[in-house]
């Protein structure tokens, strides 16, 4: 059974050999056993699981296992239920229901014949012939013996009797599991009544182990016998080997002696020189390294000295250079292990110091006396601070400056108020404690002077802020410009490197084509410029002495803040200060552009701050209605001052702030309302007291009208000094025409000029003034119509009747206003925006209303005469005398009418009016004659009729 499981060393022929090999003697194709290089061949070993399955004679002799079964295989295959034995194996195995049927060949499997292997046999036939020829040329060294093969199989069979555990490479009795499996304690237990059995078992175990030892020893002896020739050969060749070793040892000794002599004579001195040169170079490096360490050691004291003089940029550069040296050249030095963290802490301290220093500088710059002519305080200090803050990316310094501007603006107003109040003795500061209340005690001239002083201080303040921000802006732009130039240089260098690489590739290809060594060509190309530089240096300084070890300088020694590792470029600020732009500015172009925009916005913010504080100052004074009580001159003066300040700030900052302009507009609207109400009320009172009689025209009103005729719509300036008195005129002369007017119209013209002058003084209220002036002119038209045509003056003034003279005078006054409406329209049109021209239609409507009013007055005069004609001609009779009393009365009334209006209305209008009256007279006369049946036939009545 055991032999059936063992692998036979005889090679088994494959099934494929049947098709292409002839039947030959099996002994000729058995591969002879080769001699093994080791003494004991390794037997196949199984895993640990196979050891457990194998029966153990020691542990399993008293336990029943499957190996105790005595039933053979034929007995197990017999079916006791069958009446007779069946010879068919499938019936025995699968039962009575099994029917043996013929298997039908599959349609999908082809029928294989020898022809299918013809191609394959043709392909390998040549290889097979070559293989057979090689076997014949090179026969095996050892001849195979059938007896040897049988012996080998026997030895393997014997070795398989030895348990696998003894063949394991890690077999050791020190292991408790191995020991228990080899020598179980159950065989040595003598307690109880099983002593005889245990003793027998122990004896059996001892014999078994002895048997295993005999097998192993026999196999070892067999293997040694197989290699006996090799052992004898090794013993015989030992003497020859010793002779060879002796000769070799003597040759090696002679060679060593010669090498030692050569080394002593030719190499030892040169090597000593090289060793000394290397030692010298090492000493120089150590010396330079020590110098570098000494310089780095002085970093902190140097930084302290720089900080004491506010050289923040130099201190930061020194710290950055030192940190770079520590990381690259002094890395790992134990004495400097804490210096990096100390420098980091020092850098953080410098950040705080720069913020505090900038805050102090901002406070000092903005709060210094405004009378100082110096625009910028310590420009070099400001530039250094800004560079340091940009280097450390501390971009919030603009917020600090903005907060300081707000505080300074408040202090400016407060200080101006204190100075002004202290100059006025009428204000008792002990009684009135609050500064705002003290300020409200000022009259307009005093308050106006205070506001003027505040505006002038704000202007100086903005100029200083602009100068400071311009310096900061120029620093930011210089850094931005440096970044862009650096980027351009890098791009140019990259292009040059790319071109150089291309030329290098071409040169390499040429060298390869020529068969040269590329490394030699590169060495020559590198040595050539070095040799040229060396020659030029020698030619430049032929008398220069060689440098000693103390004068050796390497890049390691460079630790100054202005080292070559930080390339800098200088640019100039508007103030003429040279600024060093460092390469290690970490800000991007986008951040720098945003910072530049923020600086410009900060300047706009400064203007807004000044305007906001001015608005608060105005509002605090306007709480008691002070600004609304100003007269026109005072308000116009205030408005001009505010507009001048707005323009000045716009010129300084480049943008108009709207807060003060809005406050001015709000006050202007209130002023316009009050201005209009006062003029309208005044006109209403004048009209209510007007008796509609011709008034004398003072000389000043004539001068006023004359100034309008010259194209100037403005109130004439009051002439200072003694002026000669001129008598008033009866009529107002306007461009050669005489206007008989009432006193109200003269004052109305002056009021109209006041409106036009207010528009010139306050352009922002042009549209509002136009609307209010239109309203005023409409009011005059409607109210005069009510008083004259509507006979309202009878009750208001107490007139007995509205005469034709009153009507004609009213018409002439309206004509004077109509004459000036185009002039007023042109004045407003020149001051309106093109999109506001639609508002001029108010003047067209007013002109139409005035013309209608004038026409109504003319119609009223005609109606008066018409009623008179109707009354007188109704009593007319055709009889003597001629002319009759009726016609005499008619002529008398017409003469009175002409006498009343002749001095008031122009001659053309008088003629037109009387033509209309004459037409009315003729109409009534014809009507009366037809009523009396008077016909122009030459009869007796014809002579008395008024033909």
């Amino acid at each position: 059974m055991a032999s059936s499981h063992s692998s036979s060393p005889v090679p088994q022929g494959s099934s494929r050999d049947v098709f292409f090999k002839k039947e030959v003697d099996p002994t000729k194709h058995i591969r002879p056993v080769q001699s093994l290089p080791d003494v004991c061949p390794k037997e196949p070993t199984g895993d640990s699981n196979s050891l457990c399955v194998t029966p153990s004679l020691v542990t399993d002799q008293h336990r029943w296992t499957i190996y105790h079964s005595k039933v053979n295989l034929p007995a197990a295959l017999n079916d006791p239920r069958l009446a007779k034995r069946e010879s068919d194996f499938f019936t025995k195995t699968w039962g009575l229901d099994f029917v043996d049927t013929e298997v039908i060949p599959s349609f999908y499997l082809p029928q294989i014949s020898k022809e299918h292997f013809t191609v394959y046999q043709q392909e390998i036939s040549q290889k097979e012939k070559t293989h057979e020829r090689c076997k014949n040329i090179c026969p095996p060294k050892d001849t195979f013996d059938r007896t040897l093969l049988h012996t080998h199989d026997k030895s393997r069979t014997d070795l398989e009797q030895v348990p696998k555990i003894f063949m394991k490479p890690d077999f050791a009795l020190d292991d408790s599991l191995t020991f228990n499996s080899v020598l179980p304690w159950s065989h040595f237990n003598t307690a109880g009544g099983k002593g005889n059995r245990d003793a027998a078992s122990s004896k059996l175990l001892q014999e078994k182990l002895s048997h295993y030892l005999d097998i192993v020893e026999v196999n070892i002896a067999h293997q040694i016998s197989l290699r006996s020739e090799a052992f004898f050969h090794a013993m015989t060749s030992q003497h020859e080997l010793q002779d060879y070793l002796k000769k070799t040892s003597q040759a090696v000794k002679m060679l060593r002696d010669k090498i030692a002599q050569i080394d002593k004579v030719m190499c030892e001195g040169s090597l000593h020189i090289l060793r000394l040169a290397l030692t010298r170079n090492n000493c120089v490096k150590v010396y330079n390294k020590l110098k570098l360490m000494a310089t780095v050691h002085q970093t902190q004291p140097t930084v302290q000295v720089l900080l004491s003089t506010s050289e923040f940029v130099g201190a930061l550069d020194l710290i950055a250079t030192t940190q770079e040296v520590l990381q690259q050249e002094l890395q790992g030095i134990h004495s400097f292990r804490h210096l990096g963290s100390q420098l980091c802490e020092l850098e953080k301290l410098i950040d705080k110091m720069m913020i505090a220093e900038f805050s102090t500088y901002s406070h000092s710059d903005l709060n210094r006396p405004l009378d100082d002519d110096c625009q910028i305080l310590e420009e070099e200090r400001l530039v250094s601070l800004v560079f340091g803050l940009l280097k450390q990316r501390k971009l919030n310094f603009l917020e600090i400056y903005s907060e300081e501007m707000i505080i300074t603006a408040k202090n400016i107003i407060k200080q101006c108020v204190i100075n002004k109040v202290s100059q006025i003795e009428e204000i008792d500061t002990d009684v009135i404690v609050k500064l705002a209340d003290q300020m409200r005690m000022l009259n307009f001239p005093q308050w106006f002077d205070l506001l003027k002083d505040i505006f002038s201080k704000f202007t100086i303040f903005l100029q200083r802020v602009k100068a400071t921000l311009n310096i900061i802006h120029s620093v930011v732009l210089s850094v931005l410009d440096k970044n862009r130039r650096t980027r351009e240089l890098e791009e140019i260098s990259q292009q040059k490197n790319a071109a150089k690489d291309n030329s290098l590739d071409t040169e390499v290809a040429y060298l390869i084509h020529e068969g040269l060594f590329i490394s030699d060509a590169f060495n020559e190309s590198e040595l050539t410029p070095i040799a040229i530089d060396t020659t030029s240096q020698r030619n430049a300084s032929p008398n220069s002495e060689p440098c000693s070890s103390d004068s050796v300088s390497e890049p390691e020694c460079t630790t100054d803040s202005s080292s070559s590792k930080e390339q800098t470029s200088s640019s100039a600020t508007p103030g003429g200060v040279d600024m060093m732009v460092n390469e290690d500015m970490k800000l991007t172009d986008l951040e720098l552009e945003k910072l530049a925009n923020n600086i410009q916005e900060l300047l706009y913010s400064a203007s807004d701050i000044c305007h906001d504080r001015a608005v608060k100052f105005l509002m605090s004074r306007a709480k008691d209605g002070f600004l609304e009580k100003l007269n026109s001159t005072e308000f116009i003066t205030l408005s001009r001052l505010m507009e001048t300040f707005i323009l000045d700030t716009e010129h300084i900052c480049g943008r108009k702030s709207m807060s003060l302009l809005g406050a001015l507009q709000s006050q202007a609207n209130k002023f316009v309302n009050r201005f209009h109400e006062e003029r309208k009320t005044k006109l209403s009172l004048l009209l209510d007291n007007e008796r509609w009689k011709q008034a004398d025209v003072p000389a000043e009103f004539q001068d006023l009208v004359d100034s309008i005729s010259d194209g100037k719509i403005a109130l004439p300036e009051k002439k200072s000094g003694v002026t000669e008195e001129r008598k008033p005129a009866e009529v107002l002369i306007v461009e050669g025409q005489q206007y008989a007017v009432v006193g109200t119209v003269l004052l109305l013209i002056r009021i109209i000029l006041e409106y036009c002058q207010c528009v010139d003084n306050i352009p922002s209220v042009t549209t509002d003034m136009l609307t209010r002036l239109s309203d005023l002119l409409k009011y005059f038209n409607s109210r005069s119509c009510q008083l004259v045509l509507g006979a309202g003056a009878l009750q208001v003034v107490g007139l007995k009747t509205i005469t034709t003279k009153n009507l004609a005078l009213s018409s002439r006054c309206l004509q004077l206003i109509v004459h000036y409406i185009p002039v007023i329209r042109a004045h407003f049109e020149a001051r309106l925006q093109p999109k506001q021209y639609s508002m001029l239609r108010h003047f067209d409507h007013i002109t139409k209303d005035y013309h209608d009013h004038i026409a109504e007055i003319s119609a009223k005069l005609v109606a008066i005469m018409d009623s008179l004609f109707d009354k007188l001609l109704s009593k007319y009779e055709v009889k003597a005398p001629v002319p009759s009393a009726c016609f005499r009365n008619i002529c008398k009334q017409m003469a009175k009418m002409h006498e009343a209006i002749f001095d008031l209305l122009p001659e053309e209008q008088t003629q037109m009016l009387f033509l209309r009256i004459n037409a009315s007279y003729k109409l009534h006369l014809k009507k009366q004659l037809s009523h009396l049946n008077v016909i122009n036939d030459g009869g007796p009545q014809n002579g008395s009729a008024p033909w």
Side-chain angles (χ1 to χ4, degrees):
M1 294 292 291
S3 62
S4 64
H5 294 284
S6 63
S7 59
S8 174
V10 180
Q12 301 293 331
S14 62
S15 60
R16 293 185 302 174
D17 297 340
V18 178
F19 298 100
F20 61 90
K21 298 186 72 174
K22 300 179 180 179
E23 288 294 327
V24 294
D25 188 3
T27 58
K28 294 183 181 180
H29 293 278
I30 296 176
R31 184 177 181 180
V33 178
Q34 302 291 335
S35 61
L36 300 177
D38 54 352
V39 176
C40 182
K42 296 181 180 180
E43 291 292 333
T45 57
D47 55 357
S48 58
N49 296 328
S50 63
L51 297 176
C52 300
V53 177
T54 306
S56 176
L57 297 176
V58 178
T59 57
D60 298 336
Q61 59 181 343
H62 301 293
R63 183 168 56 90
W64 188 92
T65 62
I66 59 173
Y67 298 101
H68 291 78
S69 176
K70 303 300 184 181
V71 180
N72 54 11
L73 183 59
L77 293 177
N78 288 333
D79 189 356
R81 295 174 296 178
L82 295 177
K84 61 178 180 178
R85 296 179 59 88
E86 296 291 340
S87 61
D88 194 302
F89 174 79
F90 296 102
T91 306
K92 297 176 184 178
T93 306
W94 293 341
L96 298 175
D97 297 332
F98 176 76
V99 178
D100 188 9
T101 59
E102 184 180 358
V103 178
I104 302 174
S106 175
F107 298 101
Y108 301 101
L109 296 178
Q111 295 292 332
I112 303 301
S113 61
K114 289 185 179 182
E115 286 75 10
H116 287 85
F117 298 94
T118 304
V119 178
Y120 176 73
Q121 290 178 358
Q122 292 176 357
E123 290 178 356
I124 67 170
S125 59
Q126 187 64 30
K127 296 181 180 179
E128 183 182 6
K129 294 177 181 179
T130 304
H131 178 66
E132 293 295 336
R133 186 169 56 256
C134 291
K135 287 172 61 177
N136 296 330
I137 295 173
C138 301
K141 293 182 181 179
D142 299 334
T143 57
F144 180 74
D145 190 2
R146 193 71 178 176
T147 306
L148 184 61
L149 179 61
H150 177 72
T151 306
H152 178 69
D153 292 340
K154 185 177 183 299
S155 62
R156 290 182 62 88
T157 303
D158 294 340
L159 284 175
E160 286 179 359
Q161 297 179 8
V162 180
K164 301 297 183 181
I165 191 171
F166 294 104
M167 303 299 179
K168 294 178 63 176
D170 56 347
F171 175 79
L173 291 176
D174 298 341
D175 188 6
S176 59
L177 296 177
T178 304
F179 185 83
N180 291 330
S181 61
V182 174
L183 299 173
W185 288 101
S186 59
H187 296 279
F188 302 99
N189 188 6
T190 57
K194 300 181 181 179
N196 295 329
R197 182 189 297 178
D198 292 336
S201 178
S202 298
K203 186 176 180 181
L204 180 60
L205 177 60
Q206 184 178 3
E207 293 178 355
K208 188 185 300 182
L209 293 177
S210 299
H211 177 65
Y212 293 159
L213 179 59
D214 293 340
I215 294 174
V216 172
E217 289 178 350
V218 169
N219 278 276
I220 291 175
H222 176 67
Q223 292 295 332
I224 292 174
S225 65
L226 292 177
R227 290 161 177 79
S228 58
E229 294 182 0
F231 288 148
F232 288 122
H233 178 70
M235 292 299 296
T236 55
S237 62
Q238 183 69 25
H239 298 289
E240 296 179 1
L241 183 61
Q242 289 179 357
D243 294 338
Y244 292 151
L245 288 176
K246 185 176 180 180
K247 293 178 181 179
T248 304
S249 176
Q250 292 176 357
V252 169
K253 184 179 179 181
M254 292 175 62
L255 182 59
R256 286 180 177 177
D257 293 338
K258 291 181 180 180
I259 292 175
Q261 292 177 2
I262 294 172
D263 181 46
K264 185 176 181 180
V265 174
M266 302 182 64
C267 300
E268 186 173 354
S270 301
L271 291 176
H272 183 64
I273 293 173
L274 294 175
R275 193 177 296 110
L276 290 177
L278 182 61
T279 304
R280 180 182 179 278
N281 291 334
N282 292 335
C283 291
V284 170
K285 290 182 180 180
V286 171
Y287 172 73
N288 291 332
K289 189 71 71 175
L290 291 175
K291 285 175 61 179
L292 183 60
M293 292 175 63
T295 307
V296 171
H297 184 66
Q298 294 297 322
T299 297
Q300 289 179 323
T302 307
V303 169
Q304 297 295 337
V305 173
L306 292 174
L307 292 180
S308 63
T309 58
S310 299
E311 290 290 339
F312 298 105
V313 178
L316 291 172
D317 290 341
L318 181 57
I319 290 175
T321 305
T322 305
Q323 287 179 339
E324 184 179 357
V325 171
L326 286 175
Q327 293 176 359
Q328 295 181 359
E329 302 176 13
L330 298 180
Q331 187 176 8
I333 295 181
H334 187 72
S335 58
F336 288 151
R337 64 186 183 279
H338 300 302
L339 183 58
S341 59
Q342 293 173 359
L343 292 177
C344 291
E345 294 297 329
L346 190 58
E347 189 173 0
K348 294 179 182 178
L349 177 62
I350 292 175
D351 293 345
K352 296 179 181 179
M353 290 179 63
M354 284 193 299
I355 295 295
E357 185 72 13
F358 184 80
S359 179
T360 304
Y361 174 83
S362 301
H363 180 77
S364 302
D365 179 46
L366 296 177
N367 290 279
R368 58 194 169 100
L370 295 173
D371 300 333
D372 189 5
D373 295 334
C374 181
Q375 291 290 338
I376 303 175
L377 179 65
E378 298 180 8
E379 184 175 351
E380 297 85 354
R381 177 185 174 192
L382 174 61
V383 171
S384 176
L385 281 172
V386 173
F387 267 115
L389 293 170
L390 292 179
K391 183 180 179 64
Q392 297 303 109
R393 301 178 64 87
K394 300 297 180 181
L395 305 182
N396 58 345
F397 65 94
L398 295 179
E399 299 176 1
I400 299 174
Y401 197 79
S402 177
E403 295 174 358
E404 196 63 38
M405 285 194 307
I406 297 174
I407 297 173
T408 304
K410 293 180 181 179
N411 293 336
I412 288 174
I413 295 180
K414 183 177 180 181
Q415 190 62 37
C416 289
V417 173
I418 292 174
N419 294 339
K420 189 64 179 179
V421 170
S422 62
Q423 296 174 1
I424 300 174
E425 299 178 354
E426 292 80 3
I427 300 176
D428 189 359
T429 56
D430 296 333
V431 178
I432 304 174
V433 180
K434 292 184 178 180
L435 193 62
D437 296 336
Q438 296 174 4
M439 184 264 296
R440 294 189 185 97
M441 297 297 294
L442 301 175
N443 55 27
F444 179 76
Q446 296 171 347
W447 182 81
F448 183 79
D449 292 338
L450 173 60
L451 182 62
K452 191 174 182 180
D453 184 36
I454 291 174
F455 283 165
S456 64
K457 296 293 179 61
F458 273 159
T459 303
I460 299 173
F461 168 73
L462 289 177
Q463 290 174 351
R464 289 186 177 179
V465 170
K466 182 179 180 180
T468 302
L469 293 179
N470 283 340
I471 295 298
I472 299 175
H473 192 262
S474 63
V475 172
V476 174
L477 291 182
S478 64
V479 176
L480 179 60
D481 181 64
K482 180 60 180 178
N483 288 349
R484 290 175 178 173
R485 285 187 294 170
T486 303
R487 193 182 307 109
E488 291 176 357
L489 293 176
E490 290 178 353
E491 292 177 356
I492 293 173
S493 63
Q494 289 177 358
Q495 293 176 359
K496 290 182 178 179
N497 291 334
K500 184 177 180 181
D501 292 340
N502 293 333
S503 63
L504 188 61
D505 293 340
T506 305
E507 185 177 358
V508 168
Y510 172 75
L511 292 174
I512 293 174
H513 178 71
E514 293 295 327
L516 300 176
F517 290 102
I518 298 177
S519 59
D520 295 340
F522 285 168
N523 292 334
E524 291 177 0
S525 62
E526 292 175 357
L527 290 175
T528 301
I530 297 176
I532 293 173
D533 294 340
T534 307
T535 305
S536 61
Q537 292 177 2
R538 290 178 179 176
N539 294 333
S541 57
N543 298 326
S544 60
E545 297 179 357
C547 298
S548 62
S549 60
D550 295 336
S551 63
V552 175
S553 61
E554 296 188 6
E556 299 170 353
C557 302
T558 306
T559 58
D560 195 6
S561 61
S562 60
S563 63
S564 59
K565 294 179 181 178
E566 294 183 1
Q567 299 177 357
T568 59
S569 63
S570 62
S571 59
T573 61
V577 179
D578 290 337
M579 301 183 301
M580 303 306 294
V581 182
N582 295 326
E583 288 288 346
D584 58 350
M585 290 292 181
K586 303 175 183 178
L587 297 173
T588 62
D589 290 354
L590 182 62
E591 291 175 333
L592 290 172
E593 291 174 356
K594 184 178 180 181
L595 184 60
N597 294 333
N598 291 340
I599 293 172
Q600 187 63 37
E601 291 295 332
L602 186 60
L603 182 59
Y604 298 155
S605 177
S607 176
D608 294 339
I609 289 170
C610 294
H611 282 246
D612 293 341
R613 301 312 305 178
V615 169
K616 290 184 179 180
F617 178 76
L618 289 174
M619 293 299 103
S620 63
R621 188 66 182 90
K623 284 185 178 179
D624 53 355
F626 172 76
L627 298 179
E628 298 177 2
K629 298 175 183 178
L630 299 179
N631 56 34
S632 300
T633 305
E634 292 174 344
F635 185 82
I636 290 172
T637 306
L638 176 61
S639 175
R640 287 179 176 175
L641 177 63
M642 295 173 67
E643 288 177 351
T644 303
F645 176 69
I646 292 173
L647 292 176
D648 291 341
T649 55
E650 182 181 2
H651 177 71
I652 294 172
C653 301
R655 189 180 71 176
K656 181 182 291 186
S657 297
M658 304 305 296
S659 57
L660 186 59
L661 187 62
L664 176 60
Q665 186 66 36
S666 176
Q667 293 298 325
N669 293 334
K670 294 180 182 179
F671 168 76
V672 168
N673 291 332
R674 183 176 57 81
F675 179 87
H676 178 66
E677 293 299 329
E678 289 179 355
R679 270 63 181 172
K680 189 174 182 180
T681 303
K682 183 178 180 179
L683 180 61
S684 177
L685 293 175
L686 290 174
L687 288 173
D688 291 343
N689 294 315
E690 181 62 55
R691 302 189 66 83
W692 297 101
K693 292 183 179 180
Q694 184 177 359
D696 295 334
V697 179
E700 60 179 5
F701 284 96
Q702 184 62 51
D703 295 339
L704 183 64
V705 171
D706 294 340
S707 66
I708 297 175
S709 301
D710 296 337
K712 299 179 180 178
I713 301 181
L715 294 174
E717 297 180 358
K718 294 182 179 180
K719 297 181 180 180
S720 60
V722 180
T723 58
E724 59 180 17
E725 296 182 358
R726 294 182 294 174
K727 294 182 180 180
E730 293 181 358
V731 293
L732 185 67
I733 301 175
V734 179
E735 297 181 358
Q737 294 187 8
Q738 296 181 355
Y739 286 89
V741 294
V742 296
T744 302
V745 172
L746 295 176
L747 294 176
L748 176 60
I749 292 175
R750 185 179 183 86
I751 291 172
I752 292 172
L753 294 183
E754 288 178 354
Y755 273 83
C756 295
Q757 188 175 12
C758 185
V759 169
D760 291 337
N761 296 328
I762 312 175
S764 60
V765 297
T766 302
T767 56
D768 202 5
M769 276 294 183
L770 189 150
T771 306
R772 304 305 171 90
L773 180 58
S774 302
D775 180 65
L776 186 71
L777 294 175
K778 290 178 181 178
Y779 177 76
F780 174 77
N781 185 34
S782 61
R783 187 60 178 163
S784 61
C785 181
Q786 292 174 4
L787 292 174
V788 179
L789 282 178
L794 300 179
Q795 291 81 18
V796 176
V797 186
L799 295 179
K800 294 180 181 180
T801 182
I802 302 297
T803 63
T804 55
K805 192 170 186 178
N806 298 137
L807 291 171
L809 193 61
S810 174
S811 176
R812 196 57 177 162
C813 291
L814 292 173
Q815 291 175 18
L816 178 63
I817 301 301
V818 170
H819 174 77
Y820 282 113
I821 285 178
V823 181
I824 298 170
R825 175 193 173 100
H827 180 81
F828 276 91
E829 185 177 2
R831 287 152 183 81
L832 287 175
Q833 299 293 333
K835 61 183 179 181
Q836 298 173 339
Y837 284 166
S838 60
M839 299 185 66
L840 296 174
R841 68 180 184 276
H842 294 295
F843 293 110
D844 299 334
H845 298 161
I846 293 171
T847 303
K848 182 178 181 301
D849 294 341
Y850 272 68
H851 282 302
D852 294 342
H853 191 183
I854 294 170
E856 289 178 3
I857 292 175
S858 299
K860 183 65 175 177
L861 291 173
V862 175
I864 291 173
M865 295 304 296
D866 186 72
S867 62
L868 182 63
F869 292 153
D870 186 34
K871 180 179 179 181
L872 293 176
L873 290 176
S874 63
K875 299 177 182 180
Y876 170 70
E877 295 180 356
V878 182
K879 62 181 180 179
V882 178
S884 64
C886 176
F887 283 98
R888 289 192 182 98
N889 289 334
I890 290 174
C891 292
K892 183 179 179 180
Q893 292 298 328
M894 292 183 70
K896 287 183 179 180
M897 168 71 77
H898 184 270
E899 183 181 358
I901 67 174
F902 180 75
D903 294 334
L904 300 179
L905 297 177
E907 183 178 357
E908 296 82 2
Q909 293 184 17
T910 304
Q911 291 177 0
M912 293 298 297
L913 182 63
F914 272 91
L915 287 174
R916 293 177 62 185
I917 292 173
N918 188 25
S920 176
Y921 162 72
K922 289 182 179 180
L923 181 63
H924 283 283
L925 181 60
K926 287 182 179 180
K927 182 178 178 182
Q928 185 62 26
L929 290 176
S930 63
H931 178 69
L932 295 176
N933 295 322
V934 177
I935 302 173
N936 188 9
D937 55 357
Q941 293 181 343
N942 191 21
S944 300
W947 298 111

